[in-house]
Amino acid sequence: GEDVEQSLFLSVREGDSSVINCTYTDSSSTYLYWYKQEPGAGLQLLTYIFSNMDMKQDQRLTVLLNKKDKHLSLRIADTQTGDSAIYFCAERALRGSYIPTFGRGTSLIVHP
Amino acid sequence: DTGVSQDPRHKITKRGQNVTFRCDPISEHNRLYWYRQTLGQGPEFLTYFQNEAQLEKSRLLSDRFSAERPKGSFSTLEIQRTEQGDSAMYLCASSLEAGSTGELFFGEGSRLTVL
């Protein structure tokens, strides 16, 4: 969706950290999400952050939210080959009747 | 398994034929969504239901697309007179009401190929 933008590809070496970035346009966003899609599967929620938070950490995942710049990032520490997938940023905003709007997805490739 | 299930997983049809996809949401979820995903794109919202009421359908791609959720449980998405441009993955998702975190639970999708 044009309201949520992500870079399309990221390649990292196993064991390194991955940082996937996202920008959104709607300042009324309440929740922002990261979903993961593995080949042939549906999307699965990885983590989310409420708009009054700046950071959320969940095991290897760290989400940073900069509301001023409307920028969201997902950091995956100690990236593993099993993390290879497409990662979608999504926002839920008042303007969109609280229906989640997704970005195009970032394809993360983890190589040995 | 109590996840979201979709049927069929794959459908190949000839241009001009009608197709119908079914979605069974998680039983306690009252919201049900349909999205379309084409190659290299994120899910594109089509329509959603709160219980049996279809609250947003203006984003359906054309009047050839229609969706129902007659008893507030399973839903169907029908595409009439299919065109090659309809080839895509059709995703169903369900969630609790808007007052929650809004997490969507997705099915594995129904892949449509129009020849």
Side-chain angles (χ1 to χ4, degrees):
Chain A
E2 60 186 22
D3 296 328
V4 180
E5 294 194 359
Q6 305 177 234
S7 54
L8 296 183
F9 299 99
L10 177 65
S11 178
V12 300
R13 186 165 292 182
E14 190 175 18
D16 288 349
S17 292
S18 308
V19 179
I20 303 172
N21 295 300
C22 168
T23 58
Y24 60 97
T25 57
D26 197 327
S27 57
S28 73
S29 294
T30 55
Y31 285 93
L32 294 122
Y33 311 89
W34 285 103
Y35 283 81
K36 177 182 180 182
Q37 186 178 33
E38 295 181 356
L43 282 73
Q44 185 174 24
L45 182 72
L46 269 184
T47 187
Y48 67 89
I49 189 167
F50 189 53
S51 58
N52 68 353
M53 298 168 65
D54 298 322
M55 185 181 85
K56 180 179 181 182
Q57 189 149 3
D58 183 3
Q59 300 183 335
R60 292 190 298 122
L61 306 178
T62 303
V63 178
L64 295 178
L65 175 60
N66 181 330
K67 284 194 70 177
K68 175 176 171 290
D69 293 338
K70 297 189 184 68
H71 182 268
L72 182 74
S73 67
L74 173 69
R75 178 177 181 270
I76 305 173
D78 187 26
T79 314
Q80 303 297 307
T81 54
D83 295 324
S84 294
I86 302 176
Y87 291 80
F88 293 94
C89 172
E91 63 167 352
R92 191 175 77 154
L94 174 63
R95 181 168 61 88
S97 301
Y98 294 111
I99 297 166
T101 301
F102 289 81
R104 291 180 61 183
T106 299
S107 182
L108 175 64
I109 300 164
V110 183
H111 53 91
Chain B
D1 181 52
T2 57
V4 177
S5 62
Q6 293 188 245
D7 182 70
R9 294 289 312 280
H10 303 275
K11 178 71 176 178
I12 300 173
T13 192
K14 291 183 179 179
R15 189 176 52 188
Q17 298 295 303
N18 298 344
V19 296
T20 299
F21 301 113
R22 175 180 169 126
C23 172
D24 287 88
I26 293 172
S27 57
E28 60 266 29
H29 287 179
N30 46 20
R31 283 199 163 194
L32 185 149
Y33 304 77
W34 285 100
Y35 284 82
R36 183 180 80 153
Q37 186 179 21
T38 53
L39 194 63
Q41 300 294 320
E44 176 188 12
F45 171 74
L46 296 178
T47 188
Y48 88 100
F49 295 84
Q50 176 126 339
N51 301 311
E52 64 273 11
Q54 189 173 13
L55 297 184
E56 174 60 66
K57 57 182 179 180
S58 66
R59 307 272 283 276
L60 284 169
L61 300 164
S62 78
D63 58 8
R64 296 184 297 105
F65 287 71
S66 63
E68 293 183 343
R69 192 182 185 197
K71 297 181 181 177
S73 57
F74 74 92
S75 175
T76 57
L77 176 70
E78 181 181 18
I79 309 172
Q80 296 183 324
R81 304 182 303 282
T82 52
E83 301 173 357
Q84 287 184 325
D86 297 333
S87 296
M89 178 76 85
Y90 291 86
L91 298 170
C92 176
S94 68
S95 75
L96 293 169
E97 281 194 37
S100 67
T101 61
E103 175 183 357
L104 298 186
F105 292 79
F106 282 87
E108 294 187 328
S110 292
R111 181 171 294 284
L112 174 64
T113 301
V114 182
L115 301 176

